[in-house]
Amino acid sequence: HYDYGMRAVIAVLRAAGNLKRSEAELPEDVLVLRSIIDVNLPKFLSPDVPLFRGITSDLFPGVEVPVPDRDAMKAAYHECMENNNLQDTNYFWEKIVQIYDMMIVRHGFMIVGSPFSGKTSAWQMLAETLALLHKQFPEDPRWTKVIPFRMNPKSITMGQLYGNFDPVSHEWTDGVLAIQYRNAAQSKVGAPEDRKWVLFDGPVDAIWIENMNTVLDDNKKLCLMSGEIIAMSDVMSMMFEPMDLLVASPATVSRCGMIYMEPTSLGYDPLVQSWLNTLPPGFGPEHRIKLQSLCDTFIPLGLSMLNRFMTEPFPTVNNNLVQSLMNLMDCYFEPFFPKEGEDGKSKAQNEQYLTCLEPQFIFSMIWSIACTVPLQGRKMWDTTIRAEMVQSGCELLIPDEGQIYDYFYDNSKHEWVPWMKTVDEYVYNSQASFAELIIPTLDSVRYTYILDLLVNNKMHVFMTGPTGTGKTVNINTHLQTGFSDKYVPICITFSAQTSANQTQDLIDSRCEKRRKGVYGPSAGKTFILFVDDVNMPLTEEYGAQPPIELLRQWFDSGGWYDRKALTFRTIIDTVMVCSCGPPGGGRNPLTARFPRHFNTIGYTEMEDASMALIFQTILGNFASNMEDEVKAVVNPAVHATIEIYNTILDVLRPTPAKSHYQFNLRDVSKIFQGLLMMNAKKVPDVPHFAAYWYHELRRVFGDRLTTKEDSDWLDNEISRHTSELGVEMKDMFAKFGERIMCVDYLVMGADPRIYELVEDVAGLQPLVEEYLMEYNADVGAKQPMNLVMFMDAIQHVSRIARVIRQ
């Protein structure tokens, strides 16, 4: 966004002209230097500022720029910051002054910066400051009220933004921008002297902003396709609030003034200070001091560890992690706020809670800052947090067994409890289908608890992790059974073809009108909007994802524009839960401005112990009415399956020629789903069970392999493990033949069909030919299939039949 063309020179001359008129007594070199600094300094990144100061001091040796008199503005700014519980830092005050100066010099400007750099707060505080000054000094023309017209240009199509002709009737329909711009230019909203800011809060790319060129240069006119030309009034400003200008054209960049803001200059301390101001009223100064010291001890250590030594599959922003930590703490502070018609907590209870603050803080930190990394990162976090707890003299240490993630802090008992102790024993339901069986594991228990805690406190949750780790299942199960009836779930699954308009219509169709312009669930209820695969929508040519921008507009502005009436619809009483896999393979990287609104919880690959627990529970209960010798090999079979799966992950990796060699937990569950199709009467002994098990492994893993070497490798790997079941592969082949097949069509016309091992493989050929004759006589009489059924073909038919059965 650095641009030094002729437009930048003109901006300096304008600024110098304004200064000459207002402060004529200053010497000209001071005027020019001050205007150069005022116009150029806002756009620089912090490392470039000393360089710029060096250049100006060389060009203007010995010239001192007097500090301009901004006392009235600063006093009003302080009052507004206090009213909004924001922290007054020098950096933030400088940025607000720069935005104000830029607004005077240029009618189009951009506030650029990453999430949590204070972009939105900066213009909102400036608007409030100007309104307050106008109230105090109504005669001064510099201070006027500000009316923002805010929209996200990427959450609607280009035609809906500017306006378009109906393709059938050729009737012109105005777009959102056309209406807002006309309202601002003709002062249809607010008094004629009020400042109007037309604000675009969204990505800037060459598609939509090129149509703004006539507005942003000296013409100051918006030209619509209908032939209408709307001139800009003197009190209007065009403002843009993008994260970056990677895809903006130089024509756009040179037309706009730039104010660059960065989260590192702001830091996370203002967030912590503002949060400490919102503690429950019963907490005394000792609570505040304790929390401040915990923040100073653990947060800098945690963030530097994360940024230097760990990689996050799903990138996050430092300040967002700190905000997530505070959100979790707020969930635990909720009972300490006095409610209507209830007595608050007693003084003794508030004082007693002081001892719980430390472990509660550690627990919240584990599930905010420390939970976005994969398994290797978690091992590092485990040693780091334990060491820091010992070093800083924490009273209640986490037990040594297992990892820090395996424990839950129970503040009623004031102790660390293993997660599995917090749930009841699992009872197997033999009537449920395989897909409905949910076995509580360490992972599902802890993730569900965090989800429940945050959603019940109206916090938004983002679950991310590798495929097949149970994100969707955990969230869906809890949405259906875990929340009280005051929550209404809305489930949406995004795909590559999802558009912003579809998403908007789907959510709008579930909303009821509460009052004019305000929509939401019926009174007293709350929507839980669950968006699965949130990073699937296709990115546009320049990287924007309209459905994501629409949801982000709801976070930032509280709603979106009704596309027919073109009025703003505010959506209330909604909590959002999202889940997605890491970017790659059809899933796209999200803009960092979307997940910054959430608490991000990272799932890790399921540990072997959790997998074994799930499948031993399912298979053990299923085999409970089989022979004792078969029951005895259930656990070895589960362990052998998991070992084979882990070996396959290491050895059979995807290559360009074998791009489909991608295995995940779903494949393991398919093996056990296949074993659950067995009939207990057809499994009299261990060799039969071993044959079924071998068949399912060959179907799930073997059928995906393309070369004989890979296939032989898999057979060797399985034969290594069949001995754990007490059976040798060669004995099994001698008993059942080289082609081991399980099918469910051995008895014609059977209902229900029985899935069984084929002991006489040669007898399959006449049977399949009989099925073929029956088909040709009945369904395919007009176009009979004259096929020769040979053994490979029969094997393929059997594989397909098995998949369809599942």
Side-chain angles (χ1 to χ4, degrees):
H1 62 269
Y2 285 9
D3 171 82
Y4 311 105
M6 293 306 287
R7 288 196 178 95
V9 177
I10 282 191
V12 172
L13 296 178
R14 275 203 201 110
N18 290 346
L19 285 172
K20 183 81 175 165
R21 279 189 283 278
S22 60
E23 303 180 29
E25 72 284 351
L26 288 177
E28 291 217 336
D29 52 353
V30 173
L31 281 180
V32 174
L33 176 58
R34 189 170 140 195
S35 59
I36 288 176
I37 291 175
D38 284 356
V39 171
N40 288 300
L41 188 65
K43 73 173 77 156
F44 292 126
L45 277 71
S46 49
D48 293 340
V49 172
L51 199 66
F52 174 68
R53 298 230 186 255
I55 295 170
T56 51
S57 63
D58 290 350
L59 288 174
F60 296 89
V63 176
E64 284 295 318
V65 178
V67 178
D69 170 28
R70 299 194 194 272
D71 294 347
M73 187 174 172
K74 187 137 194 181
Y77 156 80
H78 276 302
E79 194 176 324
C80 294
M81 293 290 277
E82 266 181 34
N83 294 345
N84 288 282
N85 186 25
L86 293 175
Q87 301 308 307
D88 175 14
T89 65
N90 285 338
Y91 169 76
F92 198 65
W93 163 244
E94 277 169 22
K95 287 296 165 192
I96 283 188
V97 170
Q98 288 169 2
I99 295 173
Y100 176 73
D101 288 345
M102 192 65 77
M103 180 181 76
I104 304 297
V105 181
R106 301 184 94 149
H107 64 282
F109 56 93
M110 299 191 178
I111 307 174
V112 189
S114 298
F116 281 101
S117 54
K119 302 187 293 293
T120 308
S121 297
W123 68 256
Q124 285 174 341
M125 285 305 99
L126 177 58
E128 280 190 35
T129 304
L130 293 177
L132 186 62
L133 287 164
H134 177 63
K135 205 166 152 190
Q136 292 169 353
F137 309 103
E139 303 306 315
D140 193 329
R142 291 178 301 168
W143 320 125
T144 55
K145 270 172 65 182
V146 174
I147 299 169
F149 299 84
R150 193 176 183 185
M151 63 201 85
N152 185 333
K154 299 305 291 184
S155 67
I156 43 180
T157 62
M158 188 108 121
Q160 290 159 354
L161 182 67
Y162 287 102
N164 54 3
F165 286 107
D166 186 289
V168 182
S169 65
H170 286 285
E171 200 177 339
W172 172 258
T173 315
D174 272 328
V176 172
L177 167 64
I179 288 180
Q180 300 288 4
Y181 186 94
R182 193 181 295 118
N183 287 348
Q186 298 169 3
S187 292
K188 291 185 176 174
V189 179
E193 70 276 2
D194 291 347
R195 286 199 172 278
K196 321 283 190 310
W197 290 349
V198 182
L199 191 100
F200 297 91
D201 181 0
V204 167
D205 63 33
I207 300 175
W208 68 272
I209 202 162
E210 288 296 319
N211 301 337
M212 287 273 196
N213 283 351
T214 49
V215 185
L216 295 173
D217 61 22
D218 290 348
N219 295 314
K220 295 193 183 180
K221 291 185 174 76
L222 178 67
C223 306
L224 298 173
M225 267 171 45
S226 60
E228 184 182 5
I229 296 176
I230 313 172
M232 217 170 154
S233 65
D234 292 339
V235 290
M236 270 175 77
S237 294
M238 306 298 285
M239 288 171 64
F240 304 87
E241 195 187 326
M243 183 171 85
D244 54 46
L245 294 170
L246 292 177
V247 289
S249 65
T252 305
V253 174
S254 71
R255 282 175 166 81
C256 292
M258 295 289 160
I259 296 104
Y260 185 78
M261 301 183 72
E262 44 197 345
T264 45
S265 301
L266 198 61
Y268 62 82
D269 198 53
L271 293 175
V272 174
Q273 297 310 320
S274 294
W275 173 62
L276 291 174
N277 292 341
T278 61
L279 294 180
F283 284 13
E286 63 278 9
H287 291 78
R288 189 180 169 126
I289 293 165
K290 180 77 176 165
L291 284 168
Q292 178 73 61
S293 78
L294 286 166
C295 288
D296 294 345
T297 308
F298 285 97
I299 292 178
L301 168 89
L303 293 178
S304 68
M305 274 280 301
L306 185 66
N307 296 332
R308 286 175 61 193
F309 302 116
M310 304 184 201
T311 52
E312 296 175 298
F314 188 86
T316 54
V317 188
N318 281 357
N319 287 12
N320 172 231
L321 296 173
V322 177
Q323 186 67 54
S324 303
L325 166 66
M326 297 183 227
N327 287 348
L328 273 170
M329 291 296 282
D330 283 339
C331 296
Y332 290 110
F333 292 164
E334 182 58 32
F336 291 88
F337 284 98
K339 308 275 186 308
E340 235 178 287
E342 287 179 27
D343 293 339
K345 298 267 183 186
S346 66
K347 194 172 178 196
Q349 283 171 309
N350 282 326
E351 284 172 5
Q352 186 192 350
Y353 192 66
L354 190 58
T355 55
C356 301
L357 281 181
E358 192 171 64
Q360 198 75 80
F361 184 89
I362 304 283
F363 177 77
S364 301
M365 178 168 164
I366 291 170
W367 290 108
S368 55
I369 298 179
C371 73
T372 60
V373 290
L375 280 172
Q376 304 84 351
R378 288 196 171 190
K379 287 175 186 153
M380 288 170 69
W381 270 120
D382 183 58
T383 47
T384 307
I385 290 184
R386 284 181 189 278
E388 188 56 39
M389 285 175 77
V390 172
Q391 198 175 345
S392 57
C394 292
E395 291 166 20
L396 188 67
L397 296 176
I398 301 176
D400 293 336
E401 203 180 316
Q403 289 191 334
I404 52 174
Y405 300 93
D406 302 344
Y407 292 92
F408 160 68
Y409 173 65
D410 187 340
N411 54 20
S412 56
K413 299 178 187 163
H414 188 49
E415 63 177 357
W416 293 94
V417 185
W419 280 108
M420 293 310 283
K421 294 269 174 70
T422 62
V423 289
D424 303 331
E425 193 70 26
Y426 174 72
V427 182
Y428 179 75
N429 173 10
S430 58
Q431 303 302 310
S433 74
F434 181 79
E436 290 167 354
L437 295 172
I438 310 254
I439 317 292
T441 62
L442 181 63
D443 290 328
S444 66
V445 170
R446 56 193 178 188
Y447 295 131
T448 306
Y449 171 80
I450 303 284
L451 173 73
D452 185 79
L453 179 73
L454 288 164
V455 170
N456 276 314
N457 286 284
K458 306 283 187 291
M459 311 281 184
H460 311 287
V461 189
F462 204 114
M463 300 277 189
T464 164
T467 53
T469 44
K471 301 183 291 294
T472 309
V473 172
N474 279 347
I475 296 172
N476 271 331
T477 311
H478 200 63
L479 286 185
Q480 286 155 9
T481 57
F483 289 110
S484 64
D485 55 1
K486 74 172 202 175
Y487 290 102
V488 182
I490 302 179
C491 299
I492 305 177
T493 304
F494 276 2
S495 72
Q497 299 304 317
T498 306
S499 72
N501 289 357
Q502 284 171 342
T503 311
Q504 184 176 343
D505 294 340
L506 205 150
I507 297 170
D508 280 347
S509 66
R510 299 292 297 271
C511 291
E512 295 179 12
K513 187 169 182 177
R514 298 282 279 270
R515 53 183 187 277
K516 188 182 176 198
V518 177
Y519 296 79
S522 43
K525 305 261 184 193
T526 301
F527 277 146
I528 302 179
L529 180 60
F530 171 40
V531 185
D532 198 10
D533 285 335
V534 73
N535 57 356
M536 284 296 278
L538 218 56
T539 52
E540 289 183 351
E541 188 184 348
Y542 292 106
Q545 290 169 291
I548 303 297
E549 292 301 326
L550 179 86
L551 296 177
R552 198 177 68 72
Q553 184 179 3
W554 173 75
F555 277 114
D556 289 337
S557 311
W560 41 65
Y561 286 91
D562 185 323
R563 297 200 309 275
K564 286 199 177 64
L566 295 179
T567 51
F568 196 76
R569 286 174 78 109
T570 304
I571 312 278
I572 55 168
D573 293 342
T574 304
V575 179
M576 203 177 291
V577 179
C578 294
S579 74
C580 71
R587 293 184 293 265
N588 302 301
L590 288 174
T591 162
R593 299 188 71 186
F594 182 63
R596 57 95 64 207
H597 295 282
F598 293 86
N599 271 44
T600 304
I601 310 288
Y603 276 60
T604 52
E605 288 286 2
M606 199 174 281
E607 293 171 30
D608 291 352
S610 291
M611 287 203 287
L613 172 71
I614 292 174
F615 297 123
Q616 280 170 4
T617 310
I618 292 176
L619 196 56
N621 282 300
F622 174 73
S624 57
N625 55 357
M626 292 184 181
E627 300 295 326
D628 288 347
E629 61 174 305
V630 176
K631 283 188 215 168
V633 295
V634 163
N635 286 7
V638 171
H639 283 295
T641 310
I642 292 170
E643 277 182 41
I644 291 172
Y645 164 67
N646 286 334
T647 316
I648 286 176
L649 285 186
D650 286 342
V651 177
L652 299 180
R653 292 183 174 267
T655 63
K658 306 169 182 174
S659 57
H660 60 287
Y661 278 25
Q662 296 194 349
F663 302 95
N664 61 35
L665 271 177
R666 288 198 177 93
D667 298 313
V668 184
S669 73
K670 283 280 179 225
I671 292 170
F672 291 100
Q673 188 176 350
L675 288 174
L676 292 202
M677 298 194 297
M678 300 186 298
N679 186 314
K681 298 190 184 76
K682 301 282 182 185
V683 192
D685 52 21
V686 173
H688 275 78
F689 178 82
Y692 274 107
W693 178 72
Y694 169 79
H695 172 259
E696 295 306 321
L697 282 165
R698 283 296 315 177
R699 290 294 69 77
V700 173
F701 295 134
D703 285 351
R704 199 176 289 192
L705 308 180
T706 52
T707 62
K708 185 153 184 353
E709 294 85 45
D710 291 350
S711 193
D712 291 345
W713 176 86
L714 181 66
D715 268 350
N716 290 335
E717 194 59 34
I718 296 175
S719 69
R720 271 189 35 230
H721 289 281
T722 45
S723 51
E724 293 174 25
L725 309 185
V727 179
E728 292 302 324
M729 282 275 276
K730 53 180 188 293
D731 301 342
M732 194 164 74
F733 286 150
K735 185 170 184 181
F736 301 114
E738 285 289 318
R739 293 181 193 252
I740 290 185
M741 293 164 66
C742 299
V743 298
D744 66 352
Y745 54 74
L746 287 182
V747 182
M748 288 192 80
D751 189 33
R753 292 178 162 213
I754 292 174
Y755 187 70
E756 55 188 312
L757 191 62
V758 180
E759 301 198 14
D760 171 24
V761 176
L764 273 182
Q765 194 166 348
L767 180 68
V768 174
E769 282 169 356
E770 196 178 331
Y771 274 109
L772 181 63
M773 280 164 56
E774 193 181 299
Y775 173 83
N776 285 343
D778 182 18
V779 186
K782 288 183 180 170
Q783 288 179 319
M785 294 195 297
N786 298 319
L787 303 177
V788 177
M789 298 312 294
F790 51 98
M791 219 47 233
D792 282 350
I794 291 173
Q795 205 161 1
H796 279 310
V797 170
S798 306
R799 288 169 181 164
I800 295 168
R802 171 184 168 278
V803 171
I804 292 171
R805 178 189 169 98
Q806 279 198 341

